[in-house]
Amino acid sequence: MKRALGVSVYPDHSDMEQDKTYLKKAAACGFTRIFMSMLEVTEGKEAVKKKFQELIGYAKGLGFETILDVVPSLFDELEISYDDLTFFYELGADGIRLDAGFDGNKEAKLTYNPYDLAIELNMSNDVAYLDNILTYEANKPFLYGCHNFYPQEGTALPYDFFEKCSVRFKNKGIRTAAFVTSQVGTIGPWDINDGLPTLESHRHLPIDVQAKHFFATGLIDDVIIGNAYASDEELEALGQLNRYQLEFSITFTEMVNVVEKTIALDEQHFRRGDITDLMARSTEVRKKYKDVANPVHDNEQEFQAGDIVIGNDGFGKYKNELQVVLQPHKDTRKNKIGSITADERMLLEFIKPWTKFRLKEK
């Protein structure tokens, strides 16, 4: 399944023109999805309709798919019914996210709505909710899954629980989404906003590292920024992200030479299938560069997890093999050429047998 980037907007807490400016910048950076909150609607049906039609119409012109976040109280407020989704179709929405669950049969019926609106489910529960819906023969292409976000510090999901919840959806072939948080965005649905991540471990990380982590798990198709407004720099960082393979940011040592930089940055790396605990070995490069000299440097210290090393002239047939260090060790036949940035070392566990990865200078 192709992967997408998304942003969130909160029309009842923001300015229409600022929202449009934000969406225009996001579109230029390759974003194609919007989470749009309707949780705070209080203005009456016609005023709501006019405002959301304008913003969603503008977003459509930029190529966005818009999913509206709705709650049962909204249906009462606007005097509409789950049995008739015409109102959301008239707004121009592409789908609705159900904040509350029904009996399974109800959700399945909703996926057959005449407007082909996607029905998005809450993924942040490790229960058989999805299985129940699928037993009622839901229209799977129109069934999405999306995790919650958590505005209060300390309340977002731990990774192991997130993984269990996500596997339930991914194993059924459902499109999945989760939230990362901007470090500068201040707008969300509530008056508390300590960031809006799905994972607690992400709350204070750079936004591109959060997204790299989600994509590395293989469990999340769409990564959405939970709070608004992310900075231009954050949007650009996500837009430049490699969504389909691990790409580590590295800082080089002062003594790194031209051949080592070329091996590190210009080649497609993958971990050998017959793995070792000590390091992840990218061995094909040594064949290509077997006749290129690589003098000794930075080879006396103990290498640490996250260091990048390359075999030097003293390493025989293993000269110019690139390795990502996973456990501390010493070997003078290897040169340390750099290190993966500290925030990204959490991604080392995702270098599995045959995992493809690239290196990019920080």
Side-chain angles (χ1 to χ4, degrees), residues 169-182:
F169 280 73
K170 200 63 182 168
N171 283 351
K172 299 294 185 181
I174 303 297
R175 180 178 174 184
T176 60
F179 292 95
V180 293
T181 186
S182 163

Side-chain angles (χ1 to χ4, degrees), residues 111-233:
T111 64
Y112 289 94
N113 69 83
Y115 309 113
D116 290 339
L117 297 178
I119 305 301
E120 189 167 77
L121 309 174
N122 176 10
M123 287 176 61
S124 296
N125 290 293
D126 187 22
V127 294
Y129 177 49
L130 174 64
D131 303 78
N132 184 37
I133 294 169
L134 292 176
T135 61
Y136 288 101
E137 294 295 322
N139 195 7
K140 279 179 66 174
F142 295 92
L143 198 61
Y144 293 4
C146 181
H147 277 283
N148 285 342
F149 52 51
Y150 297 88
Q152 182 189 158
E153 180 98 30
T155 62
L157 303 183
Y159 180 78
D160 58 347
F161 183 78
F162 155 83
E163 184 178 46
K164 290 176 184 176
C165 299
S166 301
V167 164
R168 287 181 177 272
F169 280 73
K170 200 63 182 168
N171 283 351
K172 299 294 185 181
I174 303 297
R175 180 178 174 184
T176 60
F179 292 95
V180 293
T181 186
S182 163
Q183 298 304 325
V184 298
T186 58
I187 302 174
W190 315 121
D191 55 356
I192 296 296
N193 190 345
D194 300 332
L196 292 178
T198 290
L199 282 178
E200 189 59 40
S201 60
H202 283 178
R203 195 175 295 273
H204 301 294
L205 288 176
I207 201 167
D208 56 330
V209 178
Q210 299 173 54
K212 283 184 181 184
H213 186 212
F214 275 142
F215 287 141
T217 69
L219 296 171
I220 297 300
D221 301 309
D222 300 345
V223 169
I224 305 168
I225 303 173
N227 47 358
Y229 302 105
S231 67
D232 287 356
E233 292 75 16

Side-chain angles (χ1 to χ4, degrees), residues 264-285:
L265 301 178
D266 294 354
E267 300 297 332
Q268 172 67 67
H269 301 287
F270 66 88
R271 187 179 187 181
R272 280 178 65 118
D274 49 344
I275 63 170
T276 173
D277 289 336
L278 204 61
M279 76 287 280
R281 301 174 62 197
S282 173
T283 56
E284 289 298 306
V285 290

